[in-house]
Amino acid sequence: MASKTELDFTKRTIAQMAQEMVNAKSAFDRSFTMFKAIAKEHGVKLPKPE
């Protein structure tokens, strides 16, 4: 059984990683939205994901 300190540390680490992933996803979503707008201006159709 892991000690309480180890569990607390793991929980904090995972919470921190989750926050970073959320930040990365919203940044990606913003740039993807801009990219779609630019593609649309140039008449480029985005392919459907496979």
Side-chain angles (χ1 to χ4, degrees):
M1 184 71 193
S3 73
K4 180 155 173 30
T5 359
E6 282 177 19
L7 289 175
D8 285 350
F9 175 75
T10 306
K11 190 176 176 183
R12 273 202 312 274
T13 307
I14 292 173
Q16 205 172 351
M17 285 167 64
Q19 183 61 57
E20 285 175 17
M21 286 186 173
V22 167
N23 294 350
K25 178 161 177 6
S26 63
F28 176 79
D29 287 347
R30 276 196 304 276
S31 58
F32 189 60
T33 303
M34 282 168 43
F35 172 75
K36 283 195 294 193
I38 293 168
K40 196 174 176 186
E41 279 176 26
H42 292 274
V44 175
K45 287 261 183 281
L46 293 178
K48 289 274 177 272
E50 293 171 4

